[in-house]
Amino acid sequence: MTAAKREPWLLTPGPLTTTAETKKAMLHDWGSRDEEFNETNARVRRRLLAIAGAQDSHVCVTLQGSGTFIVEAAMATLIPRDGKSLVLINGAYGKRMAKILDYLGRSYVSQETPEDTPCDAGVLDQALAADPAITHVLVVHCETTSGLLNPVEAIAAVTAKHRRGLIIDSMSTFGALPLDVKSVPCDALMASTNKCLEGVPGMGFALIRRAAIEPAKGNAHSLSLDLYDQWTAMEKTRQWRFTPPTHVIAAFDKALDQFEAEGGVKGRGGRYADNCRILVGGMREMGFKTLLPDEIQAPIIVTFLTPADARFDFQVFYDSLKNRGYVIYPGKLTVADSFRIGCIGALSETEIRGALDAVRATIAEMGVADRAPGNG
Ligand SMILES: Cc1ncc(COP(=O)(O)O)c(C=O)c1O
């Protein structure tokens, strides 16, 4: 089979490449009130709690939709209407949480750092000491905008010291980077099926501290996004309140089998770290520059700065890589022209080396002799 004929490898932050076994799990139809489906659903919820060591302290609440739906739902459910949030922002997903608070009409302040700078636990410490009205801190684990890793352990320690609630958007890290609620105490962390657990898109989930969800009745502004109602109904009936994404859940259950067989977070994160190292090494050899230094780069997605050479045109680059069987991602930075290549999904060394060969052939074809960015 030639590269152009096979399905392309997705080097994107999700939806991402899934295995044939995961896709095959969707070749059935399930009744949403059927006991066999209910058992799959319950098993998935149990397994998600176990990944974060959260079986005793947290509950797992699942919700239809993309990642933003579960982020919005968790915020709407857990932050009381008279609560005040502090949002740590260094990219698009931190900004999105602030935008959600605007929609919800809930009070907040933000602490913004540049897109290549992790948020600062020391500055957070001072802000929490200075403002006792702040009830919740909101942080993104890996800012997928750039691939930057935020120091969630330090943020969690400071937030716990001040006895405020912490809500973590761990969309692009859950399952690949360690995030145990015993060492990273939090009221909630949210993620979705189609990231590091390598399921298909369509469902989000939140692991919520029992003590935070129990008093949350009546906080949500929206019936469909009310995770208190979703949780209590599912506990009572084992069923979803509204039509569940049955195929997504069945595929996710199979994806979780493969996650466990790979050695859980350690195995999955190890493969992604190898992917990232090989990718960055290969791109640097060709003269490309990463936005981030290695110390703050999460092994999830890597931002490369656009070469200054006028012969580099992102659309031509993208189309040529796609024709060779590799789909990459445009940049999302406000500060610099860039493009992104993902390390996550059912990919390993062979696919990453294949992608590097495709980049090499493409830039040679485009005649991009100098791959350095503007002032590089
Ligand atoms: C950190 C983070 N938060 C939230 C989202 C939003 O997810 P979605 O695009 O599935 O709504 C994403 C998506 O990539 C993400 O990476």
Side-chain angles (χ1 to χ4, degrees):
M1 205 188 281
T2 65
K5 290 225 178 86
R6 66 160 166 76
E7 292 209 22
W9 300 107
L10 301 182
L11 288 94
T12 60
L16 34 70
T17 299
T18 57
T19 65
E21 196 183 341
T22 298
K23 286 190 265 284
K24 259 189 236 147
M26 292 184 286
L27 294 175
H28 294 276
D29 301 310
W30 288 266
S32 62
R33 312 280 175 214
D34 183 79
E35 197 38 42
E36 198 183 328
F37 171 72
N38 292 345
E39 185 43 43
T40 304
N41 189 50
R43 182 167 57 243
V44 163
R45 292 175 64 215
R46 282 195 302 270
R47 294 169 107 177
L48 293 172
L49 285 168
I51 293 171
Q55 304 92 314
D56 298 332
S57 53
H58 289 57
V59 301
C60 175
V61 192
T62 47
L63 185 75
Q64 302 91 333
S66 83
T68 306
F69 289 63
I70 191 71
V71 172
E72 182 161 0
M75 290 168 60
T77 304
L78 297 177
I79 303 167
R81 294 184 192 210
D82 59 355
K84 179 173 179 184
S85 302
L86 189 159
V87 193
L88 298 167
I89 299 178
N90 47 10
Y93 297 105
K95 282 191 186 139
R96 190 172 296 175
M97 291 203 287
K99 193 170 179 182
I100 289 171
L101 290 165
D102 285 332
Y103 268 78
L104 294 174
R106 290 185 204 179
S107 166
Y108 69 95
V109 288
S110 51
Q111 252 179 33
E112 192 157 352
T113 42
E115 284 159 335
D116 58 358
T117 308
C119 53
D120 187 327
V123 180
L124 174 67
D125 193 14
Q126 289 163 15
L128 293 181
D131 188 351
I134 293 168
T135 54
H136 290 80
V137 173
L138 275 48
V139 67
V140 180
H141 192 186
C142 164
E143 241 313 341
T144 327
T145 317
S146 58
L148 178 151
L149 190 61
N150 274 317
V152 283
E153 293 83 0
I155 298 294
V158 165
T159 307
K161 182 180 99 179
H162 289 277
R163 301 177 159 276
R164 318 294 165 88
L166 178 66
I167 297 180
I168 306 175
D169 172 350
S170 58
M171 202 67 59
S172 60
T173 51
F174 191 78
L177 297 182
L179 194 58
D180 191 295
V181 298
K182 292 191 249 356
S183 42
V184 184
C186 59
D187 275 3
L189 58 87
M190 300 81 73
S192 69
T193 44
N194 59 286
K195 301 278 190 203
C196 302
L197 294 173
E198 300 186 2
V200 302
M203 189 181 88
F205 54 90
L207 307 187
I208 304 179
R209 190 198 299 279
R210 201 173 262 283
I213 198 165
E214 275 168 355
K217 185 174 182 178
N219 282 346
H221 64 303
S222 150
L223 172 65
S224 54
L225 297 182
D226 186 349
L227 295 186
Y228 177 86
D229 201 46
Q230 180 84 330
W231 171 58
T232 47
M234 209 177 272
E235 288 297 304
K236 206 151 107 213
T237 65
R238 286 166 63 82
Q239 298 175 6
W240 286 60
R241 289 179 302 164
F242 315 128
T243 302
T246 45
H247 294 68
V248 175
I249 293 167
F252 199 38
D253 191 39
K254 282 284 172 286
L256 288 169
D257 287 346
Q258 295 160 71
F259 168 76
E260 283 164 15
E262 191 174 5
V265 173
K266 200 154 183 256
R268 179 72 38 106
R271 174 161 57 83
Y272 291 171
D274 287 345
N275 288 350
C276 184
R277 190 176 35 74
I278 295 164
L279 173 69
V280 169
M283 292 293 281
R284 283 185 181 149
E285 249 170 48
M286 284 182 248
F288 287 96
K289 295 255 182 316
T290 58
L291 170 77
L292 301 174
D294 296 347
E295 310 79 70
I296 54 169
Q297 171 71 62
I300 304 296
I301 190 163
V302 184
T303 299
F304 295 98
L305 299 170
T306 301
D309 191 321
R311 282 162 294 196
F312 186 89
D313 176 299
F314 177 72
Q315 198 56 49
V316 174
F317 183 65
Y318 176 95
D319 291 342
S320 166
L321 290 178
K322 186 169 175 207
N323 284 335
R324 291 176 156 91
Y326 299 91
V327 172
I328 64 160
Y329 223 55
K332 205 176 185 174
L333 295 180
T334 51
V335 290
D337 266 353
S338 60
F339 61 90
R340 292 176 288 172
I341 303 185
C343 314
I344 62 179
L347 309 166
S348 50
E349 177 166 0
T350 310
E351 291 73 37
I352 300 294
R353 293 206 186 279
L356 288 168
D357 289 344
V359 170
R360 213 170 283 115
T362 296
I363 50 171
E365 203 172 84
M366 291 168 78
V368 180
D370 181 8
R371 292 82 192 241
N375 299 317

